[in-house]
């Protein structure tokens, strides 16, 4: 989904094409009104107003990066984005050297829940990085092939790009 538009805004400066799948058009309107008035001017971003799992069923598109940040996965609809079935669908739409990035808001959920997400992802993707980004929140980086960058290289690249400023110090890698 679009969320506050930050991920799409940054991604649009780093890659040639971005598909943003958002279930609710009102979220786009809120982002334009409250956060980034010019977000719709990026010609390399395609906004698709559909439910993400439904969109994936209808497309044969393959992606280098798929990013999921399901907010408040405490209701049935949002929690269903963190299931084996959904992860298998993501895998089908991933290019061979692509990655899937899944955010789990640990500050809202118990450790047992994020452990469950990890185990489910590990059952679908043979390669995982686990990033602890503070207050219990976790980002899972998943791939079908070995992830070529080490945690140190990723931190260095973040610092060089100055993405998020303090982001370099905020990311801690689980070992």
């Amino acid at each position: 989904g679009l969320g506050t538009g930050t991920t799409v805004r940054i991604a649009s400066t780093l890659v040639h094409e971005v598909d943003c799948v958002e279930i609710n058009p009102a979220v786009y309107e809120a982002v334009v009104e409250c956060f980034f008035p010019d977000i719709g001017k990026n010609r390399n971003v395609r906004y698709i107003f559909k439910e993400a799992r439904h969109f994936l069923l209808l497309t044969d598109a393959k992606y280098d990066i798929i990013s999921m940040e399901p907010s408040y996965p405490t209701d049935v609809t949002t929690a269903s984005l963190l299931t084996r079935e959904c992860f298998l669908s993501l895998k089908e739409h991933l290019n061979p050297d692509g990655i899937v990035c899944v955010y789990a808001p640990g500050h809202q959920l118990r450790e047992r829940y994020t452990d469950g997400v990890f185990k489910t992802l590990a059952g679908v993707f043979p390669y995982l990085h686990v990033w602890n980004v503070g207050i219990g929140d976790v980002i899972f980086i998943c791939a079908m092939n070995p992830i070529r960058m080490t945690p140190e290289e990723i931190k260095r690249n973040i610092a060089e790009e100055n993405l998020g400023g303090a982001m370099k110090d905020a990311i801690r890698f689980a070992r």
Side-chain angles (χ1 to χ4, degrees), residues 14 75 88:
L14 301 173
D75 67 79
L88 287 168

Side-chain angles (χ1 to χ4, degrees), residues 80-95:
S80 68
L81 295 173
L82 299 173
T83 63
R84 178 175 173 74
E85 293 75 19
C86 185
F87 296 151
L88 287 168
S89 180
L90 297 178
K91 177 179 162 182
E92 288 177 25
H93 292 280
L94 198 59
N95 283 325

Side-chain angles (χ1 to χ4, degrees), residues 71-73 103-111 114 133-138:
S71 57
Y72 310 105
Y103 167 77
H107 70 279
Q108 298 172 345
L109 307 166
R110 297 180 188 268
E111 186 174 312
T114 54
V133 292
I135 63 171
D137 292 356
V138 177

Side-chain angles (χ1 to χ4, degrees), residues 34-54:
C34 301
F35 299 106
F36 303 113
D38 60 344
I39 199 164
K41 294 179 182 171
N42 288 337
R43 296 289 177 225
N44 61 332
V45 179
R46 180 172 69 139
Y47 293 96
I48 302 158
F49 298 106
K50 291 190 182 321
E51 196 275 334
R53 291 168 303 156
H54 182 69

